[in-house]
Amino acid sequence: MASISHPLDEGHGHSAARQKASFWSTFVDQWIITVDHKHLGLMYIIVALLFFVAAGIQGGLIRMQLMYPNNTFLSPQVFNEMFTMHGTTMVFFVGMPFIAGLANYLIPLMIGARDMAFPRLNALGFWITTLGGILLYSSYFAWTGSAAGTGGAPDVGWFAYAPLTEKAFSPGSSTDFWILSVMLSSIGSTVTAINILATALCMRTKGMTLSRMPLLVWMFCVVSFQILVALPPLTAAQIMLLLDRFMGAHFFDTNAVGDAVLWRHFFWLFGHPEVYILIIPGFACVTEIIPVFARKPIFGRAAMIGASVSIGLISLGVWAHHMYTVGLPSRANIFFSVATMLVGVPTGIKIFNWIATMWGGRIRFRTPMLWCIAFLFHFLLAGLTGIMLAVAPFDWQLGNSYFVVAHFHYTLIGGLLCTLFAGVAYWFPKATGRMLSEKLGKWHFWLMIIGFHVTFDGLHIAGLLGMPRRIYTYPAGRGWEGFNYFSTWGVAIQAVAILIFVWNVLDALIQGKKAGNDPWDAWTLEWATTSPPPEYNFAVLPEVHSSRPLWDLKHPEDPDWKYEQS
Amino acid sequence: MSTAASLPMNPPIDDARNFDKGKVGLISLILTEVSLFSIFVTAYIFYIGKSASGPQPVDVLTVPVWATICLLSSSLTAELAVRAVRQDARSRFLAFLGATILLGAEFMRQTAVEWNKLINTDHLTIATNVFGTTYYSLVGLHATHVVVGLILLLVAFLAALSGANVGKHEHRLHLLSWYWHFVDVIWIVVFTVVYVVGR
Ligand SMILES: [Cu+2]
């Protein structure tokens, strides 16, 4: 049996002592020096939401600048800083901490453990990631001049192409803030990945074999593998860039046979798997939620595991589809086109399985399920534009256009963000003991979906009409005005949706309906304990006989283990 | 259904076959380190023969036979030290661990001598050409890992000298020896790329 980090009696003594403690020592105990996976998980998610607000405001400012042709709402320099900070924040300080938070909160509960394998390492990862985010935003105070590369915030784009990042072109400290803060985020993610693998492989409760492990945990294992393999290329390239900037090395120095394209290879060697590192946790949420709301077990469990693993492996070999416009040899173009389309196969299997799970089920259209269904639509469309961009000649035409911007916002907002809201709506009762309001949840859902489509649907066409990404402004008469005008209004609708979400959360915390242990009549172990779970998660560690332990418990006359092998 | 304790007990319990979390953690760390090194190795190979000016590898690099012998044999002594712990042979453990540290330190001394010659005699620094850039970063990254390993070995050695119960930490020493073997294997790759292929 797994080793136990917080023995039962220790937990009891702890909470008894806490009742006498003052507010501040309780606060420090629970939210600063804590090593409890549930607190760290929630802290990750809170930090991610704070940075989400910051990056969302940046996105809104970008859209306001682009609302009208020849607009001067922002200066060109500030505009460059905005899109750099928006992208960097969303990927490294919203996406990554949010998925780390989900993993931390859910995995020990779902496998019947009392904590992660390395609780103190977990706290280290959280604080390093948070420090990275603070470092990134402290760049605003390091203003040294108004020329490019000398202002406070980084302005080299989230993929920071060489040689623009070299000392000659970015002489100030803004690029160093970008390098170091992203490096800290990567260290935090690596630490989390090691912890997830060790927890899933070493802390499972009695009877929970790998074949019975919840699919969410399986998918987070794939993500962890990808983090371990795909983050070092970025870190290595950043170390090289630091050596270039401070020691006079020539890795990406085009004045001394250094190669700028090498940076692109290293960056996208990280950058493409990163897309899957972000979206597979979304798949994981959907895979847990759809069966519960369709009242059927997941269709094709083994195929789901196989598809996740093959996505994890194939996505390591497709990076150069971000580099067609560099001018690759045609053999490379063919290889990376085919490899990229290959990822569509396991992804297609997953979409098939999710739909097959719903097929013939008694679907309950509660908010978590609505988000999952929206995700399916959006991700299918994003996948189709992705296949279009995988074709090299098509990409030569539309690479670095707003078509690409619309495509990846479809994957990340229409896809990932929808699944994260699904996850929040589904597990909020477990984490807080309170139900979110269905009425506010549906307002949040529909406004978000409408706002999202108003923002991004038209941008596909603006891209097809030739609007390049990252342009500061554009002349009138190109046919882009209407799409840009409505897109900006879409952001306003999304902002209202987010406000309703915040209202819903605060309202539920204050006066939400009591959730009880198992409000959704679900089947995985986290619903077997109280809401919120006690510090030690389970008074007695549960024993598991199938992949749906709570089904077995509720239906002793017809348990799953009668039908599952091994 | 108040607690999970009341889950049905009827079918036989399969053992979950959990793995050792120290080993899983260390293997994960090694996996991510291998990925990190492979990027520096790729950069080295990519820039072989591309330096337009300054010293070339063939002019200034000599094959570090003695340093390599030292580092490779330190893996052997590390393994013997772990075996000594298992057999509860304290003085043998101290001797082999001490030998591992000395061999690792000799490797670092050789590196220092080599770098001193390259910098002061051959005038090759990290800023001279892409050979210098990739050479110092790759060899330096490996040397950093040797230093980290040496510090950990030294901590173990001092703790054992000051009377710590070595047998109690057998598992940790075992993991430390795995890390040390990993540093060794990386050296074989660096050696092949820098002194065989790249020269
Ligand atoms: Cu990609």
Side-chain angles (χ1 to χ4, degrees):
Chain A
M1 200 180 69
S3 65
I4 296 159
S5 308
H6 288 302
L8 207 53
D9 33 9
E10 189 187 303
H12 278 312
H14 205 57
S15 43
R18 187 194 290 160
Q19 283 167 358
K20 282 177 252 160
S22 73
F23 170 77
W24 278 111
S25 71
T26 310
F27 178 81
V28 169
D29 196 33
Q30 286 191 18
W31 301 103
I32 307 286
I33 59 170
T34 180
V35 293
D36 181 278
H37 74 98
K38 297 181 290 301
H39 281 226
L40 285 165
L42 294 178
M43 286 153 77
Y44 263 121
I45 290 173
I46 292 166
V47 163
L49 288 175
L50 290 176
F51 282 116
F52 176 76
V53 170
I57 291 171
Q58 286 154 356
L61 292 172
I62 291 170
R63 281 309 329 156
M64 278 163 85
Q65 163 61 22
L66 293 171
M67 195 169 183
Y68 302 106
N70 303 312
N71 203 358
T72 52
F73 172 67
L74 300 175
S75 75
Q77 174 60 25
V78 169
F79 185 81
N80 288 357
E81 292 172 8
M82 282 299 156
F83 68 66
T84 305
M85 291 293 277
H86 171 76
T88 306
T89 309
M90 282 295 191
V91 171
F92 295 102
F93 300 105
V94 179
M96 296 305 268
F98 205 111
I99 64 173
L102 280 179
N104 271 308
Y105 196 92
L106 294 173
I107 289 176
L109 287 169
M110 289 182 111
I111 63 171
R114 292 211 156 101
D115 206 323
M116 298 289 277
F118 306 112
R120 273 178 294 178
L121 197 66
N122 203 2
L124 177 78
F126 169 78
W127 287 107
I128 284 186
T129 307
T130 306
L131 185 69
I134 294 170
L135 183 67
L136 181 65
Y137 277 79
S138 64
S139 65
Y140 276 110
F141 303 105
W143 197 83
T144 50
S146 51
T150 61
D155 57 356
V156 288
W158 90 278
F159 42 59
Y161 278 170
L164 179 62
T165 47
E166 293 284 312
K167 209 80 183 173
F169 307 107
S170 294
S173 59
S174 59
T175 303
D176 304 313
F177 276 100
W178 180 83
I179 297 171
L180 292 172
S181 58
V182 169
M183 236 181 217
L184 288 177
S185 165
S186 302
I187 294 171
S189 300
T190 304
V191 162
T192 305
I194 292 174
N195 216 343
I196 290 173
L197 281 175
T199 307
L201 292 175
C202 313
M203 307 284 286
R204 280 162 291 137
T205 190
K206 224 175 199 174
M208 179 158 291
T209 55
L210 286 175
S211 63
R212 290 174 187 160
M213 193 164 74
L215 286 174
L216 179 139
V217 185
W218 262 103
M219 292 189 189
F220 268 104
C221 286
V222 173
V223 169
S224 300
F225 169 78
Q226 284 184 298
I227 288 177
L228 293 178
V229 176
L231 247 46
L234 176 64
T235 308
Q238 288 179 322
I239 294 172
M240 293 173 186
L241 188 55
L242 281 178
L243 291 173
D244 276 13
R245 289 176 62 83
F246 289 100
M247 308 275 291
H250 307 293
F251 280 108
F252 312 114
D253 173 12
T254 43
N255 291 327
V257 303
D259 196 324
V261 177
L262 193 65
W263 169 272
R264 290 193 175 200
H265 277 292
F266 290 163
F267 184 88
W268 289 112
L269 205 49
F270 145 79
H272 183 79
E274 173 67 18
V275 175
Y276 284 88
I277 290 169
L278 290 172
I279 198 68
I280 290 178
F283 293 174
C285 292
V286 166
T287 308
E288 292 300 329
I289 294 169
I290 285 181
V292 170
F293 288 87
R295 310 311 299 156
K296 279 174 66 193
I298 188 81
F299 180 90
R301 194 183 141 80
M304 274 317 219
I305 295 174
S308 303
V309 172
S310 52
I311 288 175
L313 293 174
I314 299 172
S315 71
L316 297 175
V318 301
W319 74 91
H321 62 214
H322 296 270
M323 299 170 60
Y324 292 137
T325 51
V326 171
L328 301 172
S330 60
R331 251 173 304 162
N333 282 337
I334 293 167
F335 174 85
F336 285 107
S337 287
V338 173
T340 303
M341 290 181 191
L342 218 57
V343 187
V345 176
T347 314
I349 291 175
K350 287 191 166 192
I351 292 183
F352 179 85
N353 285 355
W354 289 318
I355 293 172
T357 305
M358 287 193 267
W359 195 269
R362 277 183 290 120
I363 300 180
R364 299 182 296 183
F365 288 99
R366 307 290 294 271
T367 3
M369 190 60 172
L370 293 180
W371 288 113
C372 289
I373 294 169
F375 154 82
L376 284 178
F377 278 103
H378 297 150
F379 200 72
L380 182 64
L381 288 170
L384 292 175
T385 53
I387 298 246
M388 290 157 85
L389 287 168
V391 181
F394 186 90
D395 187 83
W396 290 334
Q397 186 64 30
L398 287 172
N400 289 324
S401 79
Y402 259 83
F403 188 82
V404 174
V405 174
H407 157 72
F408 70 71
H409 282 88
Y410 246 70
T411 66
L412 291 176
I413 297 183
L416 178 63
L417 191 64
C418 281
T419 63
L420 294 182
F421 281 135
V424 169
Y426 182 63
W427 282 292
F428 184 89
K430 177 48 64 185
T432 63
R434 305 278 183 167
M435 299 299 286
L436 288 165
S437 146
E438 275 292 308
K439 195 175 140 214
L440 288 175
K442 287 197 168 116
W443 273 102
H444 168 210
F445 172 78
W446 285 109
L447 283 175
M448 191 70 206
I449 298 299
I450 292 167
F452 162 71
H453 283 280
V454 172
T455 308
F456 292 105
D457 289 7
L459 290 184
H460 286 97
I461 302 168
L464 287 168
L465 293 174
M467 182 174 170
R469 76 191 281 192
R470 295 186 168 165
I471 47 167
Y472 162 62
T473 189
Y474 52 93
R478 296 269 176 111
W480 305 339
E481 295 100 318
F483 301 114
N484 280 287
Y485 179 78
F486 285 110
S487 176
T488 305
W489 277 111
V491 175
I493 303 173
Q494 291 185 64
V496 175
I498 298 293
L499 286 176
I500 292 176
F501 167 67
V502 173
W503 176 20
N504 195 2
V505 166
L506 295 178
D507 189 57
L509 287 177
I510 296 165
Q511 51 169 8
K513 210 170 84 209
K514 284 265 189 317
N517 292 359
D518 185 16
W520 310 116
D521 191 10
W523 302 310
T524 36
L525 281 180
E526 76 270 32
W527 305 102
T529 184
T530 55
S531 310
E535 205 161 348
Y536 41 88
N537 290 352
F538 301 97
V540 177
L541 288 176
E543 283 175 6
V544 176
H545 308 283
S546 77
S547 56
R548 294 196 301 166
L550 262 66
W551 171 276
D552 298 350
L553 182 71
K554 295 167 188 170
H555 303 271
E557 74 292 348
D558 187 27
D560 267 9
W561 51 261
K562 276 191 186 162
Y563 311 101
E564 281 182 9
Q565 300 107 342
S566 82
Chain B
M1 202 215 24
S2 55
T3 66
S6 53
L7 284 174
M9 303 286 279
N10 6 359
I13 299 290
D14 305 324
D15 189 18
R17 260 165 286 155
N18 276 322
F19 300 88
D20 177 78
K21 70 177 183 182
K23 282 183 185 167
V24 171
L26 188 72
I27 291 171
S28 304
L29 181 72
I30 287 176
L31 176 67
T32 196
E33 291 267 31
V34 165
S35 176
L36 187 75
F37 270 103
S38 68
I39 298 300
F40 278 88
V41 168
T42 305
Y44 193 92
I45 294 173
F46 180 80
Y47 282 124
I48 285 176
K50 291 207 177 145
S51 293
S53 59
Q56 302 294 318
V58 68
D59 305 326
V60 293
L61 289 187
T62 46
V63 180
V65 181
W66 171 239
T68 304
I69 290 173
C70 287
L71 196 63
L72 293 189
S73 45
S74 78
S75 236
L76 188 73
T77 54
E79 190 59 34
L80 290 171
V82 172
R83 284 194 193 172
V85 177
R86 293 219 177 104
Q87 291 154 6
D88 220 11
R90 190 185 161 77
S91 50
R92 186 144 54 89
F93 164 72
L94 280 173
F96 280 124
L97 186 61
T100 310
I101 294 169
L102 286 178
L103 288 167
E106 171 61 15
F107 173 85
M108 284 310 299
R109 196 186 70 83
Q110 290 290 318
T111 305
V113 169
E114 186 185 27
W115 283 29
N116 182 42
K117 172 198 166 269
L118 288 173
I119 294 168
N120 292 321
T121 313
D122 303 320
H123 304 290
L124 177 77
T125 69
I126 196 167
T128 307
N129 53 18
V130 282
F131 162 53
T133 293
T134 51
Y135 169 82
Y136 285 109
S137 56
L138 177 58
V139 175
L141 185 68
H142 176 264
T144 311
H145 282 74
V146 176
V147 170
V148 170
L150 277 176
I151 291 171
L152 295 173
L153 291 168
L154 205 60
V155 169
F157 188 72
L158 293 178
L161 264 192
S162 62
N165 182 353
V166 175
K168 219 177 86 185
H169 297 290
E170 187 217 308
H171 188 55
R172 285 178 175 181
L173 291 166
H174 186 56
L175 292 177
L176 178 54
S177 78
W178 280 17
Y179 174 82
W180 192 249
H181 297 327
F182 154 72
V183 171
D184 238 22
V185 172
I186 292 290
W187 175 251
I188 295 173
V189 175
V190 172
F191 179 88
T192 311
V193 168
V194 174
Y195 298 99
V196 181
V197 178
R199 214 167 67 99

